[in-house]
Amino acid sequence: MSPQSVIHFWFSELTPQQHFVKDVALDESIRTRFGPTLEAAARCELSPWRATSEGRLAEILVLGQFSRNVYRATARAFAQDALALALAQALVARGQDHSLPPSPTH
């Protein structure tokens, strides 16, 4: 899995409306496609992604958004929030957010 595949999925394959709705089929699709990536991110194994703003954004999406789909209706859905927040804060503190397009698509 690559940061680009996460970015492409979130911003190009999904509609903005799909980002925050309960959809059992979408949850299963994310679980199947990105479950191992989420587990790796939760273990901080995706730290090389942080070298680029796009990679950092992808890791934030995996930790902060995909976790909600994969672990819907469980406490585990929010278990990665602190790490996602820390990564987002570092992205902004380093000014990396300025290098991201307003609406990333690939």
Side-chain angles (χ1 to χ4, degrees):
M1 191 61 54
S2 70
Q4 294 78 17
S5 61
V6 170
I7 298 291
H8 183 269
F9 175 77
W10 189 254
F11 292 105
S12 297
E13 294 181 40
L14 298 182
T15 65
Q17 295 77 19
Q18 289 176 295
H19 291 171
F20 307 108
V21 298
K22 182 177 181 180
D23 180 331
V24 174
L26 178 60
D27 291 352
E28 183 56 35
S29 175
I30 291 173
R31 183 179 299 106
T32 300
R33 191 165 166 187
F34 298 101
T37 304
L38 172 57
E39 293 299 320
R43 292 187 303 266
C44 294
E45 294 173 1
L46 301 184
S47 59
W49 287 17
R50 299 173 197 167
T52 67
S53 55
E54 185 177 71
R56 189 175 290 265
L57 175 60
E59 188 176 8
I60 293 165
L61 287 170
V62 169
L63 291 166
Q65 297 300 320
F66 291 3
S67 62
R68 280 151 175 70
N69 296 90
V70 171
Y71 303 122
R72 187 174 299 282
T74 70
R76 200 167 175 199
F78 307 99
Q80 291 72 232
D81 284 2
L83 179 54
L85 176 60
L87 291 171
Q89 289 171 327
L91 178 88
V92 172
R94 293 181 177 144
Q96 288 179 303
D97 57 316
H98 298 292
S99 66
L100 293 170
S103 179
T105 56
H106 297 275

